[in-house]
Amino acid sequence: MEHFFINSSVCLFSLWLVYKLLLENTSWHHFKRYYFIAAVVISAVIPFLVVRTVVVPFTSGNTIDLTAMELMPSEVVETGLTWDWSLVLLGFYSIGVLLMGIRFIKNLYDLRIKSTDEVSTYSQYKLILRELVQVPHSFLNNIYASITDYKSGAIPDTVLQHEKAHLDQKHSIDILFIELLIVVMWFNPLLYLFKYSMKLNHEFLADQAVLTNGVGTKEYQETLLAYSSNSQNRALVNTFNFPIIKKRFTIMKTHTTTASGLVRSLAIIPVLALLVISCGQEEVVVEPEVIEIVEVPIDESKSIMLDIQRKEGTVTVDGKKYSFKRIDNKFKFYDKEGKEQDLESQGYEIIEIEEVEIREVEDNELFRGKKISDSKRIVSPINEDFTYDLKSNKAIESSITDLKKSYGDDVIVISEIAEVNGHKYYYAQDRSGKLFLNKYFEVVDLRGVSSGKINVSKFILPPPPPPLSPLEFIEANKEDLTYYIDDRKVSYKGAVSAIKLTGQQDIQILPDANGNMSVKIIMTDAKRKLLPPPPQPWFTHTPTLLKGMQNGSIKLLINGKLASTAQAKSLPDNWNINDFRVKKENGITVIEYSGQLN
């Protein structure tokens, strides 16, 4: 949408500027009328024209980690007011369309024939005579004039001829066209410029028609001046005294030759060409990359391949058996008599390899290979902020910039996918070059089964699974979380037990005041009813209380006064924890009770 609005506005302004510089002061008024309509249509079409097609091979873009990572705080479930600015702009635009639509309908409604109007005829058109009309105007098949001025003969016939010319040439259709565009594109100021220039050209056309009918130029100009003092601005109609009288007088005397008109018209062509090139659409075609694998022949007759893991052993070279040892990371060779032989000086190349079990496979069997190092991070160009963890089968979020800082070049980028013998292999690239991986993320060599070319296509990951529930989140991160019921800190077991009893609603997962990730369970009255009653405190157990009072380890205060053992027996069986307060004074437990006794 931004491409269309910006480029169509550029086209619209450029074509309006061409009109002002080349066409406005000419007498080719009919050509200018159709130029306006064509300019609006062309400005709407050019942004959709595909003028350039760019073919690019698919290459790896931004990458994302597919291995296990810590859940980031962006997984936190938070509630709060957020603004969807696209909806705000859509609402603002809709209000503008509504207001401009009401304005358009009101203007049409004002032009209806009212019961108080007197209807007459002028030529083949209706002449609507009504009060409060300052200047004659016209719309569709009607001419509107003041009933008082018309009956008193104050309206010259040239004025009515001028309005008749508007109706003859159907200028109202142009006005309706531009007004409907303004309703839809009310925010574009260029449409208002076009409307003004279009209506001014309508006046040039009507003036030209009146003068062609034999009316004297001087007489007509005097009539025009007489009406110029009145002002009545209407959006949908053509009025006799449209502003810029001096401009109209100048154009009345202007005559543009055919040669001049053609030169000015032809100048529009290069402008249109430039607009198409600069404002047209560029299409980007992404083609799958064809990877050509070229085998480099190795002169095996002059190569000695040794396992990189072996420290010593035997090897046969040109039919002769040699023993070898690795000394200071360099192989030394000995013949059967124990004499050291410098095979490298004889033109042999020592190649260190890792031995891989090689066996024949069926045509439809998956090729196996070498496991990649655990330090590697496999990433794929799906979205910079999205990571899919294959090991734990869950979606997390991360920053690709932080990922690169953490692992540097130790990253394998999966960009495309290849299919061989019915099995899919990932085509990837790391800092050492390009390689293929099977579904177990083992590096495999597909050169032996290809004809030199392997077609690969864009790699697409499966969609992420649904987000974790609060209990799943707690279970995955229980060691790193702090737990609260309302504002009271609780243990992991207490939080999980409360969630299982009351449900997984009204749970906030967010950093606490100390910046640590926390789980806060919001307790409602309905939730509290689902919880079991708390255990009875020890001091409400009467025998324990009486025993402590007798040995002096407990002091009981009832409503602020020291109580006796007899009063202690009167404590209610249905206790309320809020009625008790317990504290220590000089090694003695002081229990204060402020409720009612039995």
Side-chain angles (χ1 to χ4, degrees):
M1 181 58 72
E2 292 86 354
H3 169 82
F4 170 77
F5 176 69
I6 294 172
N7 288 281
S8 65
S9 297
V10 170
C11 294
L12 207 59
F13 178 74
S14 300
L15 294 175
W16 177 81
L17 200 59
V18 167
Y19 166 79
K20 293 293 289 184
L21 296 175
L22 298 180
L23 300 177
E24 185 178 56
N25 293 327
T26 68
S27 60
W28 283 29
H29 306 313
H30 288 283
F31 175 80
K32 291 188 288 183
R33 178 186 180 186
Y34 297 114
Y35 173 85
F36 284 119
I37 304 298
V40 173
V41 174
I42 290 172
S43 298
V45 171
I46 285 179
F48 294 104
L49 296 179
V50 178
V51 296
R52 188 184 301 107
T53 301
V54 179
V55 180
V56 296
F58 181 85
T59 55
S60 58
N62 292 331
T63 59
I64 50 156
D65 194 358
L66 297 179
T67 56
M69 296 178 65
E70 293 292 330
L71 275 169
M72 304 298 289
S74 52
E75 285 290 321
V76 173
V77 179
E78 293 189 65
T79 58
L81 180 63
T82 58
W83 289 93
D84 188 339
W85 290 106
S86 61
L87 291 179
V88 173
L89 291 175
L90 179 61
F92 184 69
Y93 167 76
S94 301
I95 292 173
V97 171
L98 178 64
L99 294 176
M100 296 302 289
I102 293 173
R103 167 186 168 273
F104 178 78
I105 294 172
K106 179 180 180 300
N107 289 333
L108 282 178
Y109 184 76
D110 290 342
L111 293 171
R112 78 192 190 284
I113 300 177
K114 303 175 184 178
S115 58
T116 56
D117 294 340
E118 183 177 321
V119 181
S120 181
T121 58
Y122 182 82
S123 186
Q124 73 270 33
Y125 302 111
K126 290 181 181 180
L127 179 61
I128 311 299
L129 303 175
R130 60 173 54 167
E131 301 289 344
L132 303 177
V133 176
Q134 297 177 0
V135 179
H137 50 270
S138 56
F139 181 70
L140 293 179
N141 293 318
N142 300 329
I143 299 175
Y144 300 84
S146 169
I147 186 171
T148 305
D149 293 345
Y150 182 76
K151 289 185 176 181
S152 65
I155 300 178
D157 185 63
T158 53
V159 174
L160 297 179
Q161 286 185 43
H162 178 96
E163 299 304 325
K164 176 180 175 295
H166 284 303
L167 301 184
D168 290 340
Q169 298 176 27
K170 309 296 183 184
H171 293 168
S172 299
I173 296 175
D174 301 0
I175 300 299
L176 285 173
F177 171 72
I178 196 70
E179 283 290 340
L180 286 173
L181 280 180
I182 288 175
V183 170
V184 179
M185 304 286 286
W186 55 267
F187 53 85
N188 192 338
L190 295 172
L191 289 177
Y192 298 91
L193 288 177
F194 260 73
K195 175 186 170 183
Y196 181 84
S197 297
M198 183 183 290
K199 292 184 73 172
L200 180 59
N201 190 62
H202 287 170
E203 299 307 315
F204 296 160
L205 283 165
D207 292 340
Q208 188 180 61
V210 172
L211 295 175
T212 303
N213 288 336
V215 177
T217 302
K218 184 177 180 181
E219 175 190 351
Y220 183 67
Q221 290 177 346
E222 289 175 351
T223 304
L224 190 59
L225 282 172
Y227 275 86
S228 65
S229 59
N230 295 326
S231 177
Q232 191 171 29
N233 186 19
R234 291 179 175 271
L236 293 178
V237 300
N238 294 102
T239 60
F240 178 73
N241 70 332
F242 192 82
I244 315 185
I245 300 299
K246 184 177 179 181
K247 184 79 171 179
R248 290 171 63 180
F249 284 0
T250 303
I251 296 299
M252 288 179 197
K253 301 175 183 179
T254 300
H255 175 71
T256 303
T257 63
T258 303
S260 175
L262 286 174
V263 170
R264 292 169 185 262
S265 301
L266 290 174
I268 300 172
I269 296 176
V271 175
L272 288 175
L274 286 174
L275 290 177
V276 170
I277 294 172
S278 59
C279 299
Q281 198 171 25
E282 181 180 279
E283 184 180 49
V284 179
V285 178
V286 180
E287 289 187 348
E289 185 179 7
V290 177
I291 309 301
E292 184 172 354
I293 301 176
V294 180
E295 292 194 38
V296 179
I298 299 175
D299 186 2
E300 296 185 359
S301 62
K302 285 293 186 179
S303 300
I304 302 174
M305 297 187 181
L306 300 175
D307 183 8
I308 194 172
Q309 303 295 333
R310 298 183 66 181
K311 303 296 184 183
E312 59 182 36
T314 59
V315 64
T316 302
V317 180
D318 290 341
K320 297 180 181 179
K321 183 176 287 188
Y322 296 88
S323 61
F324 67 86
K325 291 183 179 180
R326 181 190 290 271
I327 301 175
D328 295 331
N329 290 325
K330 186 176 180 180
F331 287 102
K332 294 185 178 296
F333 297 88
Y334 304 91
D335 58 18
K336 63 180 181 179
E337 297 175 355
K339 294 181 179 180
E340 183 178 351
Q341 300 293 326
D342 188 357
L343 297 182
E344 288 183 284
S345 64
Q346 300 175 27
Y348 291 97
E349 181 183 4
I350 311 301
I351 301 176
E352 297 184 35
I353 62 171
E354 275 193 76
E355 285 190 354
V356 179
E357 180 184 357
I358 301 176
R359 58 186 178 87
E360 292 187 4
V361 296
E362 300 292 335
D363 288 344
N364 60 350
E365 188 174 348
L366 178 73
F367 285 92
R368 300 301 298 268
K370 175 189 171 186
K371 271 284 186 184
I372 64 172
S373 169
D374 290 338
S375 65
K376 297 282 187 180
R377 289 298 181 270
I378 304 174
V379 297
S380 176
I382 303 299
N383 182 297
E384 182 172 306
D385 296 325
F386 173 72
T387 300
Y388 191 76
D389 185 350
L390 292 176
K391 292 185 179 179
S392 59
N393 192 33
K394 62 186 178 183
I396 59 178
E397 291 182 3
S398 179
S399 168
I400 188 64
T401 305
D402 295 339
L403 184 66
K404 289 180 178 178
K405 288 180 179 178
S406 299
Y407 301 107
D409 293 330
D410 207 9
V411 169
I412 297 178
V413 181
I414 294 178
S415 57
E416 291 95 6
I417 193 166
E419 188 167 338
V420 179
N421 295 340
H423 292 280
K424 292 182 178 179
Y425 298 86
Y426 303 126
Y427 176 66
Q429 185 171 1
D430 63 3
R431 60 182 175 181
S432 62
K434 298 179 180 179
L435 46 86
F436 288 94
L437 306 174
N438 61 17
K439 67 179 182 180
Y440 302 110
F441 295 104
E442 298 169 337
V443 179
V444 296
D445 184 4
L446 297 184
R447 291 177 298 177
V449 296
S450 71
S451 60
K453 292 184 179 180
I454 298 177
N455 291 325
V456 296
S457 57
K458 183 178 180 181
F459 174 68
I460 302 176
L461 280 177
L468 300 176
S469 67
L471 276 178
E472 291 172 335
F473 181 85
I474 291 171
E475 187 62 32
N477 303 273
K478 57 185 178 182
E479 302 297 335
D480 302 321
L481 297 173
T482 308
Y483 306 93
Y484 297 89
I485 295 180
D486 290 331
D487 294 322
R488 180 167 54 90
K489 191 173 181 179
V490 297
S491 66
Y492 157 74
K493 291 183 178 180
V496 171
S497 176
I499 293 174
K500 288 181 177 179
L501 289 170
T502 62
Q504 301 193 53
Q505 294 77 32
D506 299 318
I507 298 175
Q508 296 179 355
I509 304 175
L510 70 170
D512 60 13
N514 299 321
N516 301 319
M517 289 303 297
S518 68
V519 176
K520 187 174 183 179
I521 306 168
I522 306 299
M523 279 295 172
T524 61
D525 292 338
K527 279 189 171 185
R528 289 190 178 91
K529 293 179 181 178
L530 300 175
L531 295 174
Q536 186 175 3
W538 64 269
F539 50 78
T540 60
H541 185 244
T542 303
T544 303
L545 179 61
L546 294 176
K547 184 178 179 181
M549 293 177 65
Q550 290 171 356
N551 61 29
S553 62
I554 296 176
K555 182 189 295 184
L556 175 65
L557 299 178
I558 298 179
N559 295 324
K561 296 180 180 180
L562 186 64
S564 63
T565 55
Q567 291 175 307
K569 294 178 182 179
S570 300
L571 290 173
D573 296 329
N574 297 326
W575 54 272
N576 186 337
I577 191 63
N578 295 323
D579 293 337
F580 288 92
R581 185 183 174 197
V582 181
K583 60 182 180 179
K584 282 279 189 179
E585 289 184 357
N586 300 323
I588 299 175
T589 302
V590 179
I591 302 173
E592 298 180 358
Y593 176 71
S594 57
Q596 300 293 325
L597 300 176
N598 289 334

